[in-house]
Amino acid sequence: MNPIRLLIDADPGLGDALAIAIALKDPRLDVVGLTAVGSFISAKQAAVNLQELVTIIDPQRWPRLGVQLTDAHESTASVPSQQLTHYRQLNGENGMADWPCRNVDAAHPKEAAKVIIELSRAYPQELVILSLGPLTNISLAAEKDPELLMRLKGLVISGGTLEGPGNITPAADFNIYQDPLAARSILKSACTKTLVPFDASQKVGISFGLLDRLPIEHMGRFGEWLQTIVPFALRSHHQFQGMESWRLPELVALAAVVKPEFFQHLTLAVDVETDAHLTRGMTVFDRRSPPVWRPNVEVLKDPEVQGILDDFMSVLRSTVV
C-alpha cells in the first residue's frame, strides 16, 4: 500500500512536536509539507521549531516548509495573558522544552497558505491535511483558492469539544477559540473532514515509564531530544496541572489518519460560535431529533487507547540507528 501523503499544519508545542516527529518516522506516511501557524508561540517561532524537528529527524525526503506570513483574521480571539503564561509553563518559552532550536531564517520564506495550495495541486485527491493548531492557514489558503478543499483526500482537525469542557474556556478548546471565524468557515465547508474533539482525545497519555521502554541510547539525536522533552512535559504537567501523565490529543489526531478503525465515527452537523463572550469558539452540534442542520463533519469519539499507544510505540522502537 502506498503511504499516505500528509501535510501537517501546526503550532509546536511539545504535543505537536512529538506527533510530527512520529509522523516523519512512520513508513505509512509521506509527510510532504509542514506549515507553521502562530498561537501561544509566534508564527516565526513555530516555523523555527518545525525546521528544528526536520533537522533532528532528518527524513529521507525533507518536507516543504511554510510560514504564516500574514496576520491572523481580525476576529482572532486574544488569549488571556495568564493562559499564555500557563501554556509556556507547560511547553517551555520556545514551545520545545527550551531545547536550543537554531533560528536559521530562510532567505525567501514561503507563505504557508501558498505551500498548502501548491501541494494540493501537486497531489490532487491524494493529500490529507492534519491540523494541530488554529485553522488560520487553511482558511487563508481556501480564500485564495476556492477549489482547494475539494482537491483534498481528507482534512483531519484536532479541536472542538463534543461532550466535555474545553481547555481554554468552559466551552471551547484552544485551537478553535484562537481563530473561531477560520474554524467556522472550514467546518461548514463541503469538503471531506474529520474532527477529533479535545474531550475524546484526552483519554490517551504517556507516563514516566515511556523512556524506559525505548532503546534511547540507540536512537541518535532523536533519542537525545526525547530525553529532553518527555521528562520536561511530564514534570510541567504534574506541577502546573496536577496530572500524573502527559495527555496527547495530537497523537490521537495522528492516529485518526493512520488508524481510523481505532475510533467510533459519528456523522454530525456542527457550527462554531464566533461572537458570544462566554461561548466564543464553542463547537455547537445539532443534537435535535431529527436534526435540522445538514450533517457536515465526521466526528470521532471513544478512541482505542491501548491500540493507539501500542501503534506509536512500535513506530518509536523502529527508529533505532
Side-chain angles (χ1 to χ4, degrees), residues 177 273-282:
Y177 178 93
E273 178 59 65
T274 60
D275 297 318
H277 175 66
L278 289 177
T279 56
R280 186 182 186 112
M282 180 180 182

Side-chain angles (χ1 to χ4, degrees), residues 81-126:
S81 59
Q82 66 269 25
Q83 285 284 2
L84 290 176
T85 299
H86 179 64
Y87 281 111
R88 288 168 183 153
Q89 288 170 333
L90 293 178
N91 294 275
E93 284 296 321
N94 68 349
M96 288 267 275
D98 300 325
W99 173 273
C101 297
R102 291 159 292 181
N103 186 358
V104 182
D105 289 325
H108 301 286
K110 194 77 171 182
E111 183 182 11
K114 291 183 179 178
V115 171
I116 293 169
I117 292 169
E118 290 170 3
L119 286 173
S120 74
R121 291 174 178 171
Y123 304 109
Q125 304 307 316
E126 293 183 51

Side-chain angles (χ1 to χ4, degrees), residues 224-241:
E224 295 175 11
W225 180 74
L226 286 175
Q227 284 182 305
T228 296
I229 71 148
V230 173
F232 182 101
L234 287 166
R235 286 194 302 268
S236 66
H237 280 73
H238 176 73
Q239 180 178 355
F240 298 109
Q241 291 193 321

Side-chain angles (χ1 to χ4, degrees), residues 53-269:
L53 277 170
V54 176
T55 302
I56 291 168
I57 303 302
D58 193 19
Q60 289 186 343
R61 185 172 73 160
W62 282 36
R64 292 187 59 188
L65 298 178
V67 184
Q68 180 188 342
L69 298 179
T70 56
D71 291 334
H73 295 166
E74 290 181 3
S75 64
T76 298
S78 296
V79 179
S81 59
Q82 66 269 25
Q83 285 284 2
L84 290 176
T85 299
H86 179 64
Y87 281 111
R88 288 168 183 153
Q89 288 170 333
L90 293 178
N91 294 275
E93 284 296 321
N94 68 349
M96 288 267 275
D98 300 325
W99 173 273
C101 297
R102 291 159 292 181
N103 186 358
V104 182
D105 289 325
H108 301 286
K110 194 77 171 182
E111 183 182 11
K114 291 183 179 178
V115 171
I116 293 169
I117 292 169
E118 290 170 3
L119 286 173
S120 74
R121 291 174 178 171
Y123 304 109
Q125 304 307 316
E126 293 183 51
L127 184 67
V128 176
I129 294 180
L130 173 59
S131 172
L132 298 178
L135 285 156
T136 305
N137 283 337
I138 300 168
S139 178
L140 289 170
E143 289 176 7
K144 292 175 181 289
D145 181 352
E147 301 300 316
L148 162 73
L149 297 175
M150 301 309 297
R151 283 197 302 272
L152 299 178
K153 181 179 180 181
L155 171 60
V156 177
I157 300 166
S158 176
T161 60
L162 178 63
E163 296 172 336
N167 63 340
I168 185 73
T169 72
D173 95 291
F174 183 89
N175 289 343
I176 305 300
Y177 178 93
Q178 181 81 343
D179 195 344
L181 270 188
R184 187 171 197 255
S185 69
I186 296 300
L187 286 172
K188 288 177 67 67
S189 68
C191 72
T192 300
K193 54 194 173 297
T194 301
L195 188 70
V196 187
F198 172 78
D199 46 322
S201 62
Q202 283 295 289
K203 298 177 181 179
V204 174
I206 60 176
S207 65
F208 278 96
L210 172 73
L211 295 179
D212 296 335
R213 301 195 299 273
L214 293 173
I216 292 291
E217 66 276 12
H218 301 297
M219 295 172 69
R221 193 155 181 254
F222 179 49
E224 295 175 11
W225 180 74
L226 286 175
Q227 284 182 305
T228 296
I229 71 148
V230 173
F232 182 101
L234 287 166
R235 286 194 302 268
S236 66
H237 280 73
H238 176 73
Q239 180 178 355
F240 298 109
Q241 291 193 321
M243 299 169 63
E244 296 301 324
S245 65
W246 176 20
R247 305 293 172 84
L248 290 165
E250 302 86 0
L251 279 189
V252 180
L254 182 59
V257 176
V258 294
K259 286 287 188 179
E261 64 269 24
F262 281 169
F263 300 85
Q264 179 183 349
H265 296 239
L266 306 174
T267 302
L268 298 173

Side-chain angles (χ1 to χ4, degrees), residues 35-54:
T35 49
V37 62
S39 61
F40 74 96
I41 54 174
S42 67
K44 180 179 180 180
Q45 183 65 57
V48 169
N49 292 357
L50 288 180
Q51 184 170 332
E52 180 68 17
L53 277 170
V54 176

